[in-house]
Amino acid sequence: MTPAGVLADPRVRLGAGTAALLVTAMAARRKRVGADEAAAFRAVNDLPGWFYPPAWAVMQLGTLGAAPAAAAAAWLAGDRELAGRLLAGGTSAWALSKVVKRLVQRPRPAALLPGTRRRGHDAAGLGYLSGHAGVAVVLGAAALPRLGPGGRALTLAAIPVVGLARIYVGAHLPLDVAGGAALGLAIDAALTLVSARTAARTWPKDPCSGDLSP
């Protein structure tokens, strides 16, 4: 089976997302920034200031408001199942990111790295993990199977840019973004499994064959 085929299994995605979340959370709890993470942060955070307007626009794809907006678009397109997935996934990623922040207690980059460039409104609260990255990943993962080739390419390009934009504005460190992406992946996989089990229980039985499979 190809790597893409393996990742298509929601159980694999759930395990991978959960494992990555735990690993990055344990690393972030040390309250220090390693040399490699600091170098990666500087490479993005030190980019020219004129990147800010497009970065700000892309960041909106990871806000809490992106979930109902995406759900409304799916609803208007006639895909009510996707609309529910988008709303549930986006709001769950946003809410759970707040819980994880309280557990890990990692500060924002400016408190850990002198000379951090902060652009736009200063991000309040704690750093790990990035709720923006979590929301972007869960929304993108839910929408990808319904999109055409062009839409998939655009979505796959936009998802990582949301996380990079959060580093660029000085709101998050790379581990924060990785943790957020892992949370989003795990949430989407969990919703996929729940949806599949619900469909299996509610699918009408064929009176002739006795087959319960959809």
Side-chain angles (χ1 to χ4, degrees):
M1 183 179 291
T2 65
V6 172
L7 289 176
D9 188 336
R11 295 168 296 181
V12 173
R13 298 201 306 275
L14 179 60
T18 302
L21 179 62
L22 292 174
V23 169
T24 54
M26 287 188 292
R29 280 182 64 86
R30 298 171 187 168
K31 305 295 192 299
R32 63 181 179 83
V33 184
D36 291 339
E37 187 181 16
F41 174 80
R42 297 292 189 197
V44 179
N45 187 242
D46 288 344
L47 289 172
W50 60 264
F51 276 110
Y52 178 70
W56 179 89
V58 174
M59 281 194 303
Q60 307 316 301
L61 300 176
T63 61
L64 175 60
W75 183 278
L76 291 174
D79 195 335
R80 296 187 177 184
E81 193 275 335
L82 176 59
R85 283 279 299 276
L86 292 169
L87 186 60
T91 54
S92 296
W94 181 86
L96 288 176
S97 72
K98 305 300 181 185
V99 175
V100 177
K101 285 176 188 286
R102 291 179 178 273
L103 293 174
V104 177
Q105 294 283 314
R106 190 190 209 190
R108 294 284 182 178
L112 297 171
L113 290 178
T116 293
R117 297 187 180 186
R118 293 178 288 184
R119 299 176 171 94
H121 295 293
D122 281 349
L126 298 164
Y128 182 93
L129 49 70
S130 170
H132 280 70
V135 171
V137 168
V138 77
L139 293 181
L144 275 175
R146 308 307 216 281
L147 301 174
R152 290 183 182 181
L154 186 61
T155 300
L156 290 172
I159 291 173
V161 174
V162 172
L164 291 173
R166 296 301 287 165
I167 297 174
Y168 171 72
V169 300
H172 288 292
L173 291 158
L175 271 180
D176 306 340
V177 172
L183 176 65
L185 184 67
I187 290 173
D188 175 71
L191 289 175
T192 300
L193 290 170
V194 170
S195 177
R197 290 183 179 181
T198 301
R201 287 198 304 266
T202 58
W203 192 266
K205 182 177 178 179
D206 185 338
C208 298
S209 65
D211 185 9
L212 293 174
S213 302

